[in-house]
Amino acid sequence: MTFEDLNIEREVLASLNEIGFNEPTRIQYETIPLIKEGYDVIGQSETGSGKTAAFGIPLVEKVTRGTPVQGLILAPTRELALQNAGELKKFSRAKGLRIECVYGGASMGPQISGLRSSEIVVGTPGRIMDHMRRGTLKLNNVKIFVLDEADRMIDMGFIEDIETIERSLPRERQTLLFSATMPYELKSIRDRFTKNPREVVTDTKVKEDYLKQYYCDVDRRIKFSMLVHLLRKEAPKLAMVFCNSRRDTDIVARNLQQNGINAKSLHGGLSQERREHIVEEFHRGSTRVLVATDVAARGLDFKDVTHIFNYSVPMNAEDYVNRIGRTARAGQSGKAIVLLTREDFDLFSRIVNTFSFDIQEIDCSADDIRMLPFRRDEFREHSDRRGQFREYGDRRGPFREREDREFRRRRPFERQPRGFVFT
Ligand code: ADP
Ligand code: MG
């Protein structure tokens, strides 16, 4: 099966050829014909399986040159909006469509002029709303409305924004929803936004043959030392380390740097300029370890990420799936390792049981671990005051201090029970 077999128009085919897309992935060959026929589509497939092109290729085909804003794509984070816009530009290079990306933290001026002439707009819900309020974004020509990672946008509290945006769109339009995870709470959105949708669901959330999952049962006080040990032992090409708060992200990154590991932190408390700079460095491989909050858990596609470390256990199963899905993309393989302290076991077994994942204990006996100092001082030079809040996309949440308090209360070293069983 090739893209030609899907009757993709010549100009778009030429662009796909240029970037080496020859054969469609499963989600692509199943959804592209439906979208071309005009159906609303809900597409759910594993992380890294090519969902962007699944909606992006038919979108670029259906949009004609010259009339602004026929395609509107919403994404939960600025980084993902930028990435999606970049992909669409590649698919439409030969066709010469203009694609504008609008997101917070960047100046309005250039976005406003871009919006006047762009056939396709990609953005985060907040900034799209800003432009609608100012009258700088007209949505009456939108033919296709895409929600990428819809569940995450709802999770972040964007529901009202999205509903407002949706009400401004023509009734006669196509709506496409794509994500690796579609929790039940999304049902109301699906029912309200789509008409007689076709659903395409592949059977897994992540490709378990390629993405191997491990846990490491570790005492809290040596958690950081264990991370360093594993990073050295596993020698990842590129690795991502996920933490739950902006503050932890900064602290872990700085401690890694102090141990000679080329690490940087990425979270929503950084300036937009710095966020883009760090993402770019990681794409180039000049940063080898990206320590991040969930702002980097959705949709981002970095080549050569071989390892994902969950330094903190995520709050829900969807976040776990999407964090580990930053590796083993597009047919590559990868490893995901979660560092579990005793207090994480309950939460993590719930996550694992939600999707019945196969997860093994990684060999990480504490005997050969060198105890490393771990400085918890605040590193603030890149963070603004919001640095102390738990990350939740662009929104604030209560600072997750619980772990620190429990740490201080802990009794002297006690061996963890081995052989964690997921029930
Ligand atoms: P998802 O949204 O499902 O997580 P992406 O759309 O980010 O996945 O795609 C993952 C990777 O696979 C990207 O690097 C993309 O360029 C690549 N890719 C997608 N479709 C194809 C294809 N048909 N042929 C080759 N590479 C592809
Ligand atoms: Mg995606």
Side-chain angles (χ1 to χ4, degrees), residues 38-42 72 74 125 129 142-151 153-154 158-178 185-198:
Y39 287 108
D40 283 359
V41 171
I42 296 167
L72 177 68
L74 300 184
M129 287 278 293
V142 171
K143 298 195 280 198
I144 304 188
F145 178 43
V146 185
L147 295 158
D148 192 18
E149 311 275 355
D151 57 317
M153 288 193 280
I154 308 300
F158 281 134
I159 179 79
E160 281 167 23
D161 290 357
I162 295 173
E163 283 171 342
T164 310
I165 295 167
E166 195 266 346
R167 278 196 298 273
S168 312
L169 297 172
R171 297 288 288 275
E172 278 306 309
R173 56 141 213 276
Q174 251 179 300
T175 303
L176 312 174
L177 259 67
F178 278 82
E185 300 85 78
L186 210 65
K187 198 174 170 336
S188 72
I189 284 286
R190 293 162 43 156
D191 294 349
R192 270 180 295 155
F193 286 12
T194 60
K195 274 188 241 151
N196 187 21
R198 294 290 181 270

Side-chain angles (χ1 to χ4, degrees), residues 3 16 19-28 32 44-55 57 80 83-84 87 90-91 148-149 178-180 298-303 322 325-326 328-331:
F3 280 109
L16 295 179
I19 55 170
F21 280 27
N22 303 313
E23 285 180 27
T25 64
R26 180 169 163 204
I27 188 74
Q28 290 162 8
I32 290 173
Q44 184 181 6
S45 67
E46 69 275 11
T47 51
S49 58
K51 290 187 284 295
T52 321
F55 63 75
I57 291 170
L80 184 56
Q83 179 179 295
N84 282 344
E87 290 290 294
K90 291 183 202 161
F91 305 152
D148 192 18
E149 311 275 355
F178 278 82
S179 188
R298 288 286 181 145
L300 297 192
D301 186 63
F302 298 102
K303 305 269 174 285
N322 285 288
R326 296 317 98 210
R329 301 176 67 74

Side-chain angles (χ1 to χ4, degrees), residues 30 39 45 53 78 130 155 160 168 219-220 222 315 335 361 406:
E30 290 196 19
Y39 287 108
S45 67
R78 301 168 182 181
D130 284 351
D155 223 26
E160 281 167 23
S168 312
D219 186 276
R220 228 199 111 70
I222 62 163
M315 304 304 255
K335 263 187 186 182
E361 183 166 13
E406 276 179 23

Side-chain angles (χ1 to χ4, degrees), residues 155-158 244 246 268-269 384-400:
D155 223 26
M156 284 164 72
F158 281 134
N244 288 353
R246 297 171 177 183
D384 61 22
R385 274 186 304 127
R386 292 186 299 165
Q388 61 189 305
F389 293 100
R390 188 168 87 77
E391 181 70 1
Y392 222 60
D394 273 351
R395 304 220 163 203
R396 300 165 180 204
F399 172 33
R400 213 171 152 232

Side-chain angles (χ1 to χ4, degrees), residues 127-321:
R127 186 52 71 99
I128 295 277
M129 287 278 293
D130 284 351
H131 282 290
M132 284 167 56
R133 270 190 228 109
R134 288 167 180 239
T136 47
L137 172 59
K138 298 266 183 289
L139 297 174
N140 51 310
N141 286 327
V142 171
K143 298 195 280 198
I144 304 188
F145 178 43
V146 185
L147 295 158
D148 192 18
E149 311 275 355
D151 57 317
R152 178 61 176 170
M153 288 193 280
I154 308 300
D155 223 26
M156 284 164 72
F158 281 134
I159 179 79
E160 281 167 23
D161 290 357
I162 295 173
E163 283 171 342
T164 310
I165 295 167
E166 195 266 346
R167 278 196 298 273
S168 312
L169 297 172
R171 297 288 288 275
E172 278 306 309
R173 56 141 213 276
Q174 251 179 300
T175 303
L176 312 174
L177 259 67
F178 278 82
S179 188
T181 47
M182 295 272 182
Y184 185 74
E185 300 85 78
L186 210 65
K187 198 174 170 336
S188 72
I189 284 286
R190 293 162 43 156
D191 294 349
R192 270 180 295 155
F193 286 12
T194 60
K195 274 188 241 151
N196 187 21
R198 294 290 181 270
E199 261 187 82
V200 177
V201 184
T202 62
D203 40 24
T204 48
K205 309 290 173 277
V206 297
K207 270 255 174 297
E208 289 195 81
D209 300 347
Y210 294 95
L211 206 175
K212 295 289 178 210
Q213 300 175 58
Y214 301 91
Y215 71 92
C216 168
D217 173 2
V218 66
D219 186 276
R220 228 199 111 70
R221 286 163 309 162
I222 62 163
K223 192 158 129 178
F224 177 74
S225 308
M226 184 63 81
L227 176 66
V228 173
H229 172 77
L230 288 170
L231 278 168
R232 298 221 163 101
K233 186 165 149 225
E234 294 283 326
K237 202 160 174 190
L238 295 180
M240 290 173 82
V241 176
F242 282 99
C243 299
N244 288 353
S245 74
R246 297 171 177 183
R247 180 172 174 269
D248 284 354
T249 308
D250 282 338
I251 293 172
V252 169
R254 181 55 67 94
N255 278 280
L256 288 174
Q257 287 160 17
Q258 248 138 36
N259 283 281
I261 292 168
N262 182 349
K264 291 275 166 62
S265 70
L266 176 71
H267 56 72
L270 306 175
S271 71
Q272 184 54 27
E273 201 185 342
R274 183 151 180 89
R275 279 166 74 165
E276 284 171 39
H277 178 69
I278 286 166
V279 165
E280 201 252 322
E281 277 189 338
F282 195 53
H283 270 300
R284 270 192 289 137
S286 59
T287 293
R288 305 293 295 279
V289 178
L290 186 68
V291 187
T293 57
D294 285 304
V295 79
R298 288 286 181 145
L300 297 192
D301 186 63
F302 298 102
K303 305 269 174 285
D304 300 330
V305 173
T306 54
H307 289 70
I308 304 296
F309 293 90
N310 272 297
Y311 190 76
S312 334
V313 176
M315 304 304 255
N316 62 54
E318 284 77 24
D319 287 344
Y320 176 74
V321 166

